[in-house]
Amino acid sequence: MKELSVLVVEESQPMLQVLVGILEEFGFGKILTATDGEQAFQIHQHHRPDIIITDWHMEPIDGLELCQWIRRTKHSVNRSVPIILMSSYTEQTRITNARDMGVTEILVKPFTAQDLARRIMHVVDVPRDFIESLNFFGPDRRRHSPDGYEGENRRTKNPEES
Amino acid sequence: MSEKDDQMYIYQLFGVSTPRRIKADKRLRNKIGPVAKIGEQQVMKAQRKIDKPDVDFRPYAMDYLNQIDDLVMELKAMDYDREREYNRTIVPVSQLKGQAAMFGNPFVSEVSAKVLRFLEHFKRLDDDVLSILEAYRSCVRTAYERYISKGDSTEAQNLSQEMDAAIQRYIAKFRRRTET
């Protein structure tokens, strides 16, 4: 993993310290840190990290706003960088909101080192297509591929033919 | 320039009028090579950083509890519109839920998760909810003062049951209120 750089954004100092320790063990070549979204965006612009791991709740700019800045600002240097959002919230509406903001993966706190390793390897090995539309720029929100459908195929015609 | 202007600029620049799909690339995999991964040994070593952290989380936990104290006092003084402070209220609870277990106290994370689920479900900050927040604050404080970090001791179970009972009493009362 030494070829990859990662930006960790976390307001809580002890948590940031633990995260850096974990990522060092994982062997990342470059670990950048920030304690809020604004600082993180500047670092993203200057260092262009390969992966961003950010907490949700931060002051004054939180993880979701950071994600919006990266995905939707015209001068963002890498609009499709994988963003892993750490959150203690599990409420469905919040998760949906995060997905709609263009978050790549969500990691619910507390987590184990294994959980974090899996998320990182997932963004490396299973990169997602991006969708660009008038209201959205982010990873394709539909994860289920029709190729994986195993049920009966009841549609006999293409919609265009009917 | 507003965010909308920014977006419009992007659309003009790239000529986006209908949604388009940008195919994923294997840039990160290509960078690290075909077989590189985070190995089991690395994960085990990293887990040790969580299991035996260098940081004493207790003072940070006490800060979150003080935030809850202050918020409860502030909310009690408000006669109306307390729900406007909902997002601010759940922050210290969510921080304790997310961090306590990562600094050796899964018990506090479990109790905080219960209270967070409760707050997220009702999204109310009436006097009874504030009492539950006070009970939660006492529960967490006790856990840290008495070095309770896992849920298997009798003391931990008692604390946990007290929290459950307080939440159940609220749910029962809420149901009665909505039925009448």
Side-chain angles (χ1 to χ4, degrees):
Chain A
M1 307 297 283
K2 66 178 189 305
E3 297 82 1
L4 295 185
S5 58
V6 61
L7 167 60
V8 196
V9 195
E10 170 63 76
E11 189 180 52
S12 157
Q13 276 302 328
M15 194 66 195
L16 184 63
Q17 209 172 313
V18 167
L19 280 163
V20 168
I22 293 171
L23 295 166
E24 279 170 356
E25 292 296 347
F26 287 172
F28 277 92
K30 195 173 184 184
I31 302 167
L32 304 153
T33 60
T35 52
D36 79 82
E38 195 164 1
Q39 196 188 2
F41 187 70
Q42 297 307 325
I43 294 173
H44 166 258
Q45 294 296 90
H46 287 111
H47 297 272
R48 212 187 155 108
D50 294 304
I51 299 171
I52 296 177
I53 301 171
T54 180
D55 191 28
W56 184 318
H57 178 78
M58 289 175 297
E59 298 279 350
I61 303 297
D62 67 21
L64 278 194
E65 284 174 279
L66 168 66
C67 183
Q68 270 194 304
W69 283 7
I70 290 170
R71 299 280 189 245
R72 297 187 188 178
T73 314
K74 65 173 184 288
H75 57 272
S76 170
V77 293
N78 184 4
R79 294 173 68 211
S80 54
V81 60
I83 299 175
I84 300 174
L85 182 78
M86 301 178 290
S87 165
S88 302
Y89 306 124
T90 50
E91 199 186 7
Q92 188 56 44
T93 50
R94 286 181 187 270
I95 304 296
T96 307
N97 188 24
R99 190 194 63 171
D100 292 345
M101 295 291 173
V103 165
T104 314
E105 292 289 328
I106 292 174
L107 182 60
V108 176
K109 285 181 182 175
F111 53 80
T112 61
Q114 182 71 65
D115 296 330
L116 181 57
R118 277 203 196 111
R119 289 295 192 293
I120 291 168
M121 291 319 297
H122 192 77
V123 299
V124 168
D125 286 326
V126 195
R128 287 158 61 191
D129 290 355
F130 266 66
I131 302 296
E132 179 163 40
S133 71
L134 279 173
N135 305 315
F136 176 74
F137 182 83
D140 187 353
R141 289 171 284 187
R142 287 172 297 185
R143 285 173 183 252
H144 299 290
S145 145
D147 301 342
Y149 178 66
E150 289 174 357
E152 183 192 355
N153 193 357
R154 290 182 291 180
R155 180 176 282 171
T156 53
K157 286 180 179 173
N158 283 330
E160 302 89 63
E161 293 168 12
S162 53
Chain B
M1 198 182 251
S2 71
E3 189 192 306
K4 201 169 180 182
D5 292 335
D6 269 357
Q7 253 185 312
M8 289 316 293
Y9 175 85
I10 291 167
Y11 299 142
Q12 285 158 13
L13 192 67
F14 298 108
V16 178
S17 56
T18 51
R20 69 177 180 124
R21 178 177 292 272
I22 302 157
K23 289 301 282 179
D25 60 35
K26 294 259 180 186
R27 197 178 56 84
L28 298 186
R29 174 46 76 191
N30 292 341
K31 245 182 164 178
I32 61 174
V35 291
K37 61 175 188 175
I38 302 169
E40 266 178 46
Q41 285 294 322
Q42 288 170 297
V43 172
M44 275 169 59
K45 277 187 175 176
Q47 185 59 40
R48 265 180 236 146
K49 304 262 177 191
I50 297 175
D51 297 337
K52 290 186 177 162
D54 300 331
V55 188
D56 179 12
F57 183 65
R58 196 174 308 228
Y60 297 93
M62 292 303 142
D63 271 354
Y64 290 128
L65 294 181
N66 292 338
Q67 279 178 37
I68 294 172
D69 273 345
D70 294 346
L71 268 162
V72 169
M73 284 220 310
E74 202 181 307
L75 289 167
K76 275 185 174 172
M78 289 169 74
D79 290 336
Y80 58 93
D81 266 2
R82 283 179 181 172
E83 276 67 27
R84 273 198 319 199
E85 304 300 327
Y86 167 76
N87 279 328
R88 200 153 64 95
T89 309
I90 63 169
V91 168
V93 182
S94 72
Q95 294 288 12
L96 283 164
K97 181 238 172 190
Q99 295 185 53
M102 302 203 65
F103 293 94
N105 200 320
F107 173 71
V108 167
S109 273
E110 282 160 28
V111 173
S112 305
K114 272 184 210 172
V115 174
L116 185 61
R117 268 199 305 274
F118 165 76
L119 293 170
E120 283 182 326
H121 181 77
F122 284 99
K123 292 192 171 62
R124 294 164 68 100
L125 292 171
D126 57 34
D127 287 346
D128 293 328
V129 172
L130 297 188
S131 303
I132 288 175
L133 274 172
E134 285 177 316
Y136 162 70
R137 182 252 292 138
S138 306
C139 171
V140 174
R141 202 178 286 277
T142 306
Y144 276 110
E145 279 169 3
R146 297 191 191 162
Y147 296 91
I148 300 167
S149 60
K150 288 188 178 139
D152 48 7
S153 69
T154 314
E155 214 173 3
Q157 282 168 8
N158 288 342
L159 285 172
S160 187
Q161 279 164 10
E162 276 174 38
M163 276 317 308
D164 287 345
I167 290 171
Q168 287 310 318
R169 277 197 299 276
Y170 182 88
I171 293 170
K173 195 173 172 181
F174 184 80
R175 279 198 188 129
R176 278 200 303 276
R177 219 184 299 162
T178 49
E179 278 165 11
T180 52

